[in-house]
Amino acid sequence: MGKPIQIVNSHRIAERIYKLSTCSEPTIGVTRLSFTNEFQLAQKMVEKWMLEAGMTVRRDNLNNLIGRYEGKNSHSPVLMIGSHLDTVIEGGKYDGMLGIVAGIEVIAILFENGIILENPIEVVAFCDEEGVRFHSTFLGSKAIAGTLTERDLEATDEQGITVAAAIKQLGLNPLEYQEAAKEPKDVFGYIELHIEQGPILEKEGIACGIATGIAGLSRYSFKVEGFAGHAGTVPAALRKDALVGAAEIILAIEKLVKNHAPLVATVGKLSVKPGSSNVIPGEVLGTIDIRDTNQYRIKEVIQAIFQTCEEICTRRGLTYHVEKVMEAPPVYCCEEISAAIESAIQENGMRPIHLVSGAGHDAMAMADVTKIGMIFVRCEKGISHHPDEHVILDDLGIGAQVLLDTVLKISNYHTTVKERF
Ligand SMILES: [Zn+2]
């Protein structure tokens, strides 16, 4: 079967992205944290568009919004498409939203052309991916994947409001969070379209790419202890300066990582005690964030980092302590879905490029319940989590078209031309 239907409407996508961006706290860029008024306003808009695209809409107890486009066989496993509706503070218009709006566009095109697939499709606007408000990760997609726990609902925001309380305020029942979970037998795949959040597609001059996987993440906290003292009276040779020890460790990590590309490691947070201009630093607390799609390489590098810390601290008369904060293994995209994305990209006149996602996505959580696939869309200069985040109009349409073509390729394709056509 050749190209069956019309091209997606990139102007409609752009207009909706703009409308969603107005649901924000009054900041530069977009600030829309989970379960807030701004969030609910955005959810209302999405609900309206889902209804217009011929979907039935429901909200689960985690405040995920799910639009369902019925298939010929309503009992056949569902294909899910989705992304997140929350943003970081002062973030951009496209991160998350593009995946939702493109998903709705795909269904709108099917609906407007009277096309019904064998399987139902559900488009999900997830409630919390960025995790800014509760320092959580993937609350919504974990609920649907069946991996959310009661502990996740106990996390609190800066006002001391728990996830459970925020859910209750919306008239939902957090105790029934398990009703959101899908059984693996009920879903046959999950596809997410997302901005690349990196510069590779722009560098290659291509609008869309295929994600092969999402990097695993290991996060550690470390403490280097020395001995605080007077900044003027303790001679250099007698100092046990925790900060210079930490600085040497950071530089050593940078050097070490260079030999293990594409693994990346970041020391993103440091706190110096006592933190006074006239006192030698006695203690430094910091974090190390390590990401790669190869779990063995992550383990190997962590061991090497520990050994380097040991050597540096012993030489400097310091002590150190490292603790694991979190670990999420890498996930790999399904070859079958990726092959469909690849051929959709080629049919739209592009060279297929395979990318690894260094950022986490809802797809990572959804991998616990079903096969996943990801389409990346070029974003200007690779900028994301920033008000300048931008995707050109053509790329909005190309991305959504690739998503539509992929959906058609992996769904059992049946058409029913309704009478009005
Ligand atoms: Zn995102």
Side-chain angles (χ1 to χ4, degrees), residues 180-410:
K182 291 270 189 198
E183 293 280 333
K185 67 175 173 49
D186 295 331
V187 193
F188 84 85
Y190 170 79
I191 309 178
E192 183 161 352
L193 176 144
H194 201 282
I195 55 167
E196 181 199 352
Q197 299 182 280
I200 297 171
L201 289 172
E202 187 175 74
K203 198 169 140 253
E204 298 285 341
I206 292 176
C208 269
I210 310 131
T212 52
I214 304 172
L217 158 68
S218 289
R219 197 171 288 156
Y220 288 79
S221 66
F222 68 88
K223 179 160 88 173
V224 178
E225 279 182 293
F227 202 84
H230 196 290
T233 60
V234 184
L238 298 181
R239 293 187 179 205
K240 291 184 178 174
D241 186 326
L243 184 57
V244 287
E248 193 177 344
I249 289 170
I250 296 166
L251 288 172
I253 292 173
E254 186 195 32
K255 199 171 160 198
L256 218 153
V257 165
K258 274 185 190 150
N259 302 324
H260 292 84
L263 179 143
V264 286
T266 308
V267 175
K269 196 172 163 188
L270 276 189
S271 90
V272 182
K273 289 183 180 176
S276 174
S277 60
N278 59 356
V279 182
I280 298 163
E283 184 182 300
V284 172
L285 298 167
T287 58
I288 311 173
D289 175 300
I290 302 165
R291 299 176 193 226
D292 195 356
T293 46
N294 184 329
Q295 210 165 2
Y296 299 105
R297 194 159 46 210
I298 292 179
K299 287 206 167 103
E300 194 188 321
V301 169
I302 286 167
Q303 282 312 318
I305 288 174
F306 288 173
Q307 204 184 329
T308 308
C309 286
E310 177 81 45
E311 283 164 17
I312 292 170
C313 290
T314 305
R315 174 162 42 77
R316 290 181 168 275
L318 306 167
T319 59
Y320 84 99
H321 177 75
V322 183
E323 205 172 309
K324 189 190 285 180
V325 178
M326 71 161 290
E327 188 174 54
V331 300
Y332 303 99
C333 292
C334 159
E335 282 179 20
E336 185 193 349
I337 299 178
S338 295
I341 297 171
E342 180 167 339
S343 79
I345 284 177
Q346 281 172 320
E347 283 169 20
N348 280 281
M350 292 173 281
R351 176 167 56 91
I353 290 189
H354 296 89
L355 304 155
V356 168
S357 177
H361 296 291
D362 287 302
M364 211 168 183
M366 290 300 288
D368 282 323
V369 71
T370 191
K371 298 180 285 189
I372 61 159
M374 283 200 81
I375 300 165
F376 277 157
V377 174
R378 167 169 63 183
C379 57
E380 219 169 78
K381 296 189 184 121
I383 294 170
S384 73
H385 286 192
H386 190 279
D388 290 349
E389 192 179 277
H390 187 64
V391 179
I392 60 168
L393 183 69
D394 279 357
D395 289 2
L396 297 176
I398 296 168
Q401 187 66 44
V402 167
L403 179 62
L404 170 62
D405 294 346
T406 304
V407 166
L408 293 175
K409 277 174 198 295
I410 64 171

Side-chain angles (χ1 to χ4, degrees), residues 20-336:
L20 279 177
S21 75
T22 63
C23 306
S24 168
E25 285 179 36
T27 60
I28 55 162
V30 186
T31 303
R32 184 165 64 239
L33 308 191
S34 308
F35 314 111
T36 57
N37 290 338
E38 301 80 43
F39 188 95
Q40 295 313 112
L41 207 64
Q43 196 186 58
K44 271 269 158 244
M45 280 186 189
V46 171
E47 181 178 9
K48 182 173 162 274
W49 300 332
M50 284 175 166
L51 290 169
E52 282 170 16
M55 289 183 257
T56 53
V57 184
R58 70 183 187 90
R59 196 163 60 139
D60 66 23
N61 279 309
L62 254 289
N63 201 30
N64 294 310
L65 192 74
I66 302 148
R68 182 177 172 99
Y69 187 65
E70 203 46 81
K72 266 184 126 186
N73 177 0
S74 64
H75 299 294
S76 109
V78 67
L79 172 65
M80 300 184 80
I81 304 171
S83 201
H84 57 98
L85 201 52
D86 65 324
T87 72
V88 294
I89 293 168
E90 299 181 357
K93 293 201 269 290
Y94 301 88
D95 180 353
M97 279 76 80
L98 182 55
I100 299 167
V101 171
I104 296 171
E105 184 63 24
V106 165
I107 304 298
I109 297 297
L110 295 178
F111 180 62
E112 286 160 11
N113 289 276
I115 292 168
I116 297 176
L117 305 176
E118 179 71 14
N119 53 278
I121 302 178
E122 290 184 352
V123 177
V124 192
F126 291 110
C127 70
D128 175 279
E129 190 265 358
E130 301 290 3
V132 173
R133 181 168 172 192
F134 299 100
H135 304 291
S136 47
T137 41
F138 312 141
L139 286 177
S141 39
K142 273 162 83 176
I144 291 180
T147 54
L148 193 81
T149 64
E150 273 178 39
R151 231 181 124 195
D152 292 313
L153 301 175
E154 290 163 7
T156 54
D157 68 7
E158 276 177 12
Q159 270 77 47
I161 298 168
T162 61
V163 173
I167 290 172
K168 244 189 218 164
Q169 275 176 3
L170 300 176
L172 300 168
N173 185 353
L175 296 175
E176 289 185 14
Y177 68 92
Q178 282 163 331
E179 65 76 48
K182 291 270 189 198
E183 293 280 333
K185 67 175 173 49
D186 295 331
V187 193
F188 84 85
Y190 170 79
I191 309 178
E192 183 161 352
L193 176 144
H194 201 282
I195 55 167
E196 181 199 352
Q197 299 182 280
I200 297 171
L201 289 172
E202 187 175 74
K203 198 169 140 253
E204 298 285 341
I206 292 176
C208 269
I210 310 131
T212 52
I214 304 172
L217 158 68
S218 289
R219 197 171 288 156
Y220 288 79
S221 66
F222 68 88
K223 179 160 88 173
V224 178
E225 279 182 293
F227 202 84
H230 196 290
T233 60
V234 184
L238 298 181
R239 293 187 179 205
K240 291 184 178 174
D241 186 326
L243 184 57
V244 287
E248 193 177 344
I249 289 170
I250 296 166
L251 288 172
I253 292 173
E254 186 195 32
K255 199 171 160 198
L256 218 153
V257 165
K258 274 185 190 150
N259 302 324
H260 292 84
L263 179 143
V264 286
T266 308
V267 175
K269 196 172 163 188
L270 276 189
S271 90
V272 182
K273 289 183 180 176
S276 174
S277 60
N278 59 356
V279 182
I280 298 163
E283 184 182 300
V284 172
L285 298 167
T287 58
I288 311 173
D289 175 300
I290 302 165
R291 299 176 193 226
D292 195 356
T293 46
N294 184 329
Q295 210 165 2
Y296 299 105
R297 194 159 46 210
I298 292 179
K299 287 206 167 103
E300 194 188 321
V301 169
I302 286 167
Q303 282 312 318
I305 288 174
F306 288 173
Q307 204 184 329
T308 308
C309 286
E310 177 81 45
E311 283 164 17
I312 292 170
C313 290
T314 305
R315 174 162 42 77
R316 290 181 168 275
L318 306 167
T319 59
Y320 84 99
H321 177 75
V322 183
E323 205 172 309
K324 189 190 285 180
V325 178
M326 71 161 290
E327 188 174 54
V331 300
Y332 303 99
C333 292
C334 159
E335 282 179 20
E336 185 193 349

